[in-house]
Amino acid sequence: MSLKIWTNIDNYFTHCFIPEDEILQAVLQNCKQNELPDIQVSNHQAMFLHILVKMQKAKNILEVGTLGGYSSIHMARALENDGHLTTIEYEEKHAKVAAENFKIAGLSHKITLIHNDGKSALKKLIAEEHRAFDFVFLDADKRSNPIYLELCLKLVKKGAVIICDNIVREGEIITCHTDDKDVEGIRHFCKNLSQKHHIITSAIQTVGSKGHDGFSISFVQ
Ligand code: DHB
Ligand code: MG
């Protein structure tokens, strides 16, 4: 099995299940024109996030790592009527493109985009006693995942769902023996999660057009 067949299968299911969407095409085109890295979640992963947000009936979503806002748009579209999404992006160019994309998607009123580093932004939300989040998507620099976890746990309410992207990275999570800071960050994130007895977690491996990776899904009891 290889990337080629995984991609062909993703394409097959795209024909089955993913409606043509001019807005999302324009959003991806804008990301491409501005030369953002092509590392956003796949269309199926984005739709999966959308469905999870619907299942959770989420009212208050927190995303760390906006990139061009592709995942943010899928999640914001699934919010309850009075729901809101807060998303944090460190890179100035990414934040600028994401803000444009939220306009293209007609979602600017439902999304607060914070242009700051993840740690400072989360600490500020904690200091402001921000109302509790019920859905979190962690998808920023992987080395900081342990600290993002600790900070996010001060911002979520009981019953919250926390998803963390890219916890497999082509198997590096178990095969990498170097001191790669990102892999180390993911390992510490998993270890720390395992020690939180009020949180249950599953880790799901994925293959598809984005290669072999995976995400964790946690429930705060
Ligand atoms: C990378 C980051 C991501 O969030 C992702 O989904 C894929 C790759 C990266 O930094 O390489
Ligand atoms: Mg990711």
Side-chain angles (χ1 to χ4, degrees), residues 78-183:
L79 278 165
E80 296 279 284
N81 265 345
D82 51 348
H84 201 84
L85 181 143
T86 301
T87 184
I88 301 166
E89 177 55 48
Y90 176 63
E91 296 287 342
E92 185 169 359
K93 186 165 83 169
H94 300 175
K96 176 190 143 284
V97 173
E100 289 168 5
N101 287 340
F102 298 153
K103 265 205 193 117
I104 290 171
L107 287 167
S108 302
H109 62 294
K110 279 188 169 281
I111 299 178
T112 300
L113 171 60
I114 302 173
H115 173 217
N116 200 349
D117 75 272
K119 284 162 229 165
S120 306
L122 292 169
K123 283 180 183 167
K124 193 150 181 274
L125 289 173
I126 293 166
E128 287 166 357
E129 297 184 24
H130 191 283
R131 61 187 186 281
F133 292 98
D134 50 12
F135 195 97
V136 177
F137 183 49
L138 289 181
D139 195 19
D141 58 310
K142 314 308 170 196
R143 63 193 60 198
S144 302
N145 275 345
I147 182 77
Y148 293 151
L149 175 66
E150 293 310 316
L151 295 171
C152 284
L153 289 179
K154 296 184 200 291
L155 286 162
V156 295
K157 66 181 189 185
K158 213 170 157 180
V161 169
I162 302 172
I163 312 278
C164 182
D165 197 24
N166 310 114
I167 63 158
V168 175
R169 293 180 74 98
E170 309 281 348
E172 282 180 6
I173 184 74
I174 61 161
T175 60
C176 178
H177 297 296
T178 67
D179 55 357
D180 181 307
K181 291 276 177 259
D182 291 322
V183 173

Side-chain angles (χ1 to χ4, degrees), residues 20-43 46 63 66-77 93-108 111 113 210:
E20 287 270 326
D21 189 319
E22 285 176 9
I23 288 175
L24 290 174
Q25 279 167 12
V27 161
L28 289 176
Q29 182 60 26
N30 193 31
C31 292
K32 200 169 173 185
Q33 256 166 14
N34 284 280
E35 296 175 343
L36 262 54
D38 188 24
I39 56 171
Q40 72 282 352
V41 294
S42 73
N43 56 351
E63 179 180 52
T66 317
L67 192 60
Y70 184 73
S71 49
S72 332
I73 289 169
H74 281 82
M75 292 189 286
R77 282 177 166 181
K93 186 165 83 169
H94 300 175
K96 176 190 143 284
V97 173
E100 289 168 5
N101 287 340
F102 298 153
K103 265 205 193 117
I104 290 171
L107 287 167
S108 302
I111 299 178
L113 171 60
K210 298 278 172 172

